[in-house]
Amino acid sequence: MGLRGPGARPKGKPGEASPELRKALPWDAEGLSRVDRIVAFIEDMPVTAGKLAGQKMQVRKWQRDYLEATYREDKTGNRPVRTSVLSMARKNGKTGLAAPLALCHLCGPESEPYGEVYSAANDRDQAARIFKEISAIIDNHVELQVRLNVSRFKKQIEVMGGPGNGSIFLALSAEAKTKHGLSPSMIVYDELGQAPKRDMFEALDTAMGARENPLMMVISTQAADDNAVMSELVDYGIKVNSGIIEDASFHLTLYTADIDSDPWDIETWRQANPALDDFRSLEDVERQAAQAQRVPSKENSFRNLILNQRVAAHVRFIAKAEWDRCNQTPDLQTLKGQCCFGGLDLSASRDLTAWVLVFPDRGGGYDVIPRFFLPEEGIIDKSEADRVPWDAWAKQGFLTLIPGATIDPGFVAEAIIEAAAEYDLQAVAYDRWRIQDLLRELSAVGQDDLPLEPFGQGFKDMAPAIDKLERCVAEGKLRHGGNPILNFCAANAVVEKDAPGNRKLTKAKSPGRIDGLVALTMALILSDRFEENESPEFLGAF
């Protein structure tokens, strides 16, 4: 094998004779299916480390199932899958599967002349891992040595003859200056769930259009929150698998523990660890489980990395499963003219402002209509800094972008006035922070008589409101429509307690914005106050 770069040997000639070379390779045998050829290629590769080092790889049944799903052929003999996601817990052999598959597309049965195979990772060290594994395989496989030249300095491999002639492999990291101009035939994205931004994934995904039969393979544990690009892929794949969406170009294999299963039971571990007690150490999982039981702060990390559950590092105030059960979409047409209550959480000049309406029904339930505002200027930079797709949410209509670099309270005032005209707006609870700017805007357009009520943010006022919100969510009495920004706020929400046990939402300890949930909480408890008063106006609204 020629090693390019400082101290490299001269390049060997393609097809250079060697007494060790076999005349026939296992994956070239007649009568093999597409997946059979891929499996034969993988099982001819050496294990390079661990207790099985020196032996040939062996494809397990669960790995074969994944390959069958990814490389299935349609009636014309083509592979329809363009994006294939394999999500499972840590240490289940993701790199051990990704490395030979990358080689398979570089110089094996899935290769094409002058192909471009890339491994993508979030940092240089992670990018180096798959490259090192591929290099180690080549070092121990004589037929590959004479055809491939490896540049360890560039983390690049070049095919010098035979199948895949002229193809290259290159390890990319998120620190690379640009991924534009590439034309990938195959991409392995390692640990996308930990990606700090989505720009690398999107650049590579859009670059595949120049190839006739490209493949993006994502192999990763789940991300901790709903807004990560990995979470979007998993959610999309679940819909494809369930038949809600028809998309033959997308495949998801997901190994995750049921959220309601006992996290300390070995059968729960098996749900997320297909290689458990094989090449995934059972003793190591037992050790980590014991630590997580003794140290509560480690439980969420255990759930995310070992059980492959989408669990953030902080302890959520609202359980995700309960919140998600409230995602029915309100019927906007039937709500026109109906009684409602508003909650307004104004922000600093550059942060998120939330305006939420709740509509009580006779059965004790509530329809929820949220609106959110951010300054338009710098929205892409803010999306990257916050690791939140503000720009995408704006394009989808979930976020109103206000022209300029700061929040213009006139836009918020206009939204309140519109709601008062369209619905029977009984009252609006507001945080006193920056309210004078809004009041001036309302006064300027002759709307001084809107039913605005100040709402304290301390334990005294927030405690009963928190209890009300928690009860509504647990009993499934909300219909919030799955608004992604409100979902984001709910996922970030953290409460703190005073000495008597009263609770309030705390922005200081929350990992992200919670403004939408604060506004929702105020609106819900406000509806209770009016219901207790039994005002004729309120009762007449029903």
Side-chain angles (χ1 to χ4, degrees):
M1 176 179 61
L3 299 179
R4 312 317 310 150
R9 298 198 307 268
K11 289 185 179 180
K13 297 180 181 179
E16 185 178 11
S18 168
E20 299 175 327
L21 299 183
R22 292 169 290 179
K23 294 181 179 180
L25 296 171
W27 55 91
D28 292 328
E30 293 184 3
L32 298 181
S33 68
R34 185 174 198 151
V35 173
D36 286 339
R37 290 194 298 272
I38 295 170
V39 170
F41 181 88
I42 294 173
E43 292 190 335
D44 197 58
M45 300 298 110
V47 178
T48 62
K51 62 182 181 181
L52 300 178
Q55 300 182 28
K56 297 289 188 182
M57 295 183 182
Q58 289 187 339
V59 174
R60 272 56 172 180
K61 182 183 181 304
W62 64 270
Q63 294 172 323
R64 173 87 190 212
D65 291 342
Y66 170 71
L67 295 174
E68 292 278 4
T70 298
Y71 293 92
R72 68 180 185 272
E73 295 181 338
D74 58 22
K75 294 180 181 179
T76 66
N78 291 321
R79 170 177 48 79
V81 172
R82 296 291 182 268
T83 303
S84 178
V85 180
L86 173 60
S87 181
M88 53 189 174
R90 290 277 181 89
K91 303 299 182 182
N92 278 270
K94 291 188 291 292
T95 301
L97 180 61
L101 279 174
L103 274 170
C104 186
H105 282 260
L106 180 69
C107 61
E110 286 294 309
S111 64
E112 60 181 274
Y114 299 98
E116 297 179 21
V117 179
Y118 299 102
S119 68
N122 302 317
D123 55 52
R124 288 183 175 87
D125 290 340
Q126 192 176 35
R129 283 200 287 270
I130 278 192
F131 174 78
K132 288 179 179 178
E133 178 63 19
I134 293 175
S135 299
I137 290 173
I138 296 170
D139 285 343
N140 292 278
H141 195 288
V142 293
E143 283 84 11
L144 297 185
Q145 287 181 36
V146 299
R147 293 177 51 212
L148 304 177
N149 278 301
V150 179
S151 171
R152 301 193 190 281
F153 178 73
K154 295 180 180 179
K155 295 184 175 59
Q156 179 175 302
I157 301 169
E158 184 179 4
V159 183
M160 303 300 294
N165 180 47
S167 296
I168 62 166
F169 167 88
L170 185 64
L172 302 173
S173 71
E175 293 102 329
K177 292 183 179 179
T178 180
K179 291 88 188 171
H180 300 286
L182 305 179
S183 182
S185 50
M186 196 267 190
I187 302 165
V188 176
Y189 205 124
D190 187 27
E191 290 300 347
L192 178 62
Q194 308 304 315
K197 298 189 294 184
R198 63 179 59 218
D199 57 341
M200 182 172 181
F201 172 82
E202 291 176 347
L204 293 174
D205 189 35
T206 55
M208 295 196 302
R211 296 284 177 174
E212 183 178 351
N213 200 29
L215 179 64
M216 164 83 82
M217 182 173 293
V218 176
I219 303 183
S220 176
T221 54
Q222 289 214 65
D225 64 83
D226 293 334
N227 304 307
V229 64
M230 181 64 186
S231 298
E232 293 175 5
L233 293 180
V234 169
D235 290 344
Y236 184 80
I238 290 172
K239 292 178 181 178
V240 171
N241 291 349
S242 64
I244 297 174
I245 296 175
E246 291 186 11
D247 186 351
S249 71
F250 194 98
H251 171 71
L252 167 69
T253 291
L254 176 63
Y255 292 97
T256 180
D258 295 335
I259 198 68
D260 296 327
S261 297
D262 180 0
W264 319 121
D265 187 273
I266 187 172
E267 295 307 315
T268 302
W269 305 344
R270 293 190 191 281
Q271 294 175 22
N273 295 270
L276 188 65
D277 213 15
D278 182 3
F279 49 80
R280 178 53 173 119
S281 168
L282 175 59
E283 181 182 358
D284 180 66
V285 175
E286 289 173 336
R287 176 185 61 82
Q288 295 194 53
Q291 289 182 356
Q293 282 182 287
R294 291 193 296 267
V295 184
S297 61
K298 289 190 174 184
E299 179 177 338
N300 279 6
S301 178
F302 178 83
R303 285 181 176 272
N304 180 225
L305 301 180
I306 307 301
L307 301 186
N308 199 31
Q309 295 174 335
R310 195 181 305 174
V311 178
H314 69 281
V315 178
R316 292 179 56 143
F317 158 53
I318 297 176
K320 174 177 168 54
E322 292 183 346
W323 178 260
D324 289 347
R325 282 196 287 268
C326 297
N327 65 358
Q328 298 94 328
T329 301
D331 186 343
L332 298 182
Q333 292 300 317
T334 63
L335 294 180
K336 290 184 177 181
Q338 295 299 310
C339 167
C340 67
F341 302 86
L344 179 64
D345 191 18
L346 294 167
S347 69
S349 59
R350 297 176 184 269
D351 286 330
L352 186 68
T353 285
W355 162 236
V356 177
L357 294 172
V358 299
F359 297 76
D361 63 26
R362 291 182 179 276
Y366 297 88
D367 290 296
V368 180
I369 301 179
R371 284 194 66 182
F372 299 93
F373 305 85
L374 270 177
E376 184 175 24
E377 188 174 312
I379 191 64
I380 294 178
D381 292 338
K382 183 172 179 59
S383 297
E384 292 186 356
D386 294 350
R387 297 179 59 181
V388 174
W390 300 117
D391 53 338
W393 286 338
K395 292 176 182 177
Q396 295 164 2
F398 297 112
L399 176 66
T400 299
L401 295 181
I402 297 176
T406 59
I407 292 284
D408 181 348
F411 281 82
V412 182
E414 183 179 347
I416 297 174
I417 294 169
E418 289 176 354
E422 188 168 1
Y423 309 113
D424 182 9
L425 184 60
Q426 295 287 315
V428 176
Y430 65 85
D431 178 1
R432 295 178 179 87
W433 169 252
R434 298 182 65 85
I435 194 62
Q436 292 304 319
D437 294 337
L438 179 68
L439 294 178
R440 280 194 296 269
E441 293 293 335
L442 292 172
S443 178
V445 293
Q447 296 290 333
D448 303 89
D449 58 345
L450 286 175
L452 303 179
E453 290 199 13
F455 194 97
Q457 301 299 296
F459 290 108
K460 177 179 178 294
D461 291 310
M462 286 298 293
I466 288 292
D467 292 342
K468 168 79 172 181
L469 173 64
E470 187 175 47
R471 187 168 59 253
C472 285
V473 172
E475 295 175 0
K477 291 185 175 181
L478 295 185
R479 293 177 290 274
H480 56 65
N483 181 287
I485 305 181
L486 192 59
N487 290 348
F488 171 67
C489 294
N492 289 328
V494 173
V495 296
E496 61 179 333
K497 296 181 180 180
D498 63 5
N502 297 309
R503 298 177 297 172
K504 70 174 183 177
L505 292 167
T506 171
K507 293 184 178 182
K509 295 181 180 179
S510 298
R513 307 304 309 182
I514 63 171
D515 310 75
L517 206 69
V518 172
L520 172 59
T521 303
M522 292 190 295
L524 281 173
I525 197 66
L526 196 61
S527 71
D528 269 6
R529 294 178 184 176
F530 273 73
E531 194 169 5
E532 290 167 3
N533 292 336
E534 296 184 347
S535 64
E537 295 82 7
F538 180 82
L539 295 176
F542 294 97

